Amino acid sequence: MRVLLIEDNEHKKNLLYSFVGEEFYDIEMILRKSYNSGLRELIQNDDYSLILLDMSLPNYDIVPGESGGDFESLAGKYLLNEMYRRDINIKVVIVTMYRDYVDEEFNSGLRENFPNYLGVIYFNLDDPDSWKNELRTILKSIRHD
């Protein structure tokens, strides 16, 4: 099973990679670090079982000496919109450190507009068991689909 992680935060990325690697030896995770590199990956490769998507991302990958372009607080929503427009039907879970994106009203709007959107995981560093349990449940259910 292949999972695409679109995440710009190095610490969060490392924790997600470590958890998935320890719990699910058969999952291959591919990393992209911005809105544009994530979208390009999806256009070129549609053989993913799941996308773990950060909501807030830079437009371009950040490299030494460059900012990565504008930072989009709703980049995840824009990516969902592009996937819908291009008929890319890979399941998506938002993994965010911002409580605002866990709001039920915000998420119900995403569920209504994007059939491939499964929901949100609040990546709370103070309660790692919570996000790990949620992610474990999602990965197990997708692996059995």
Side-chain angles (χ1 to χ4, degrees), residues 14-26 132:
N14 288 339
L15 291 172
L16 288 165
Y17 261 79
S18 177
F19 170 73
V20 171
E22 290 170 10
E23 295 269 331
F24 301 92
Y25 66 91
D26 61 332
K132 288 178 180 180

Side-chain angles (χ1 to χ4, degrees), residues 38-121:
L39 179 58
R40 203 169 32 253
E41 177 67 23
L42 290 170
I43 291 169
Q44 294 171 355
N45 301 299
D46 64 353
D47 62 341
Y48 291 99
S49 300
L50 178 69
I51 300 166
L52 298 175
L53 177 61
D54 190 15
M55 182 59 77
S56 302
L57 294 163
N59 281 331
Y60 300 96
D61 289 0
I62 297 173
V63 295
E66 294 186 22
S67 68
D70 291 334
F71 193 83
E72 295 289 345
S73 60
L74 293 174
K77 184 177 180 180
Y78 302 151
L79 193 62
L80 280 164
N81 193 54
E82 278 300 310
M83 291 174 66
Y84 180 78
R85 195 175 74 74
R86 295 169 186 266
D87 200 29
I88 299 171
N89 295 310
I90 303 166
K91 295 174 183 171
V92 175
V93 173
I94 300 291
V95 182
T96 184
M97 296 172 77
Y98 296 103
R99 193 173 283 285
D100 292 349
Y101 300 127
V102 181
D103 177 74
E104 184 53 40
E105 186 177 331
F106 180 80
N107 278 281
S108 64
L110 293 177
R111 279 190 207 95
E112 288 173 18
N113 291 312
F114 308 111
N116 59 325
Y117 177 69
L118 300 180
V120 62
I121 295 174

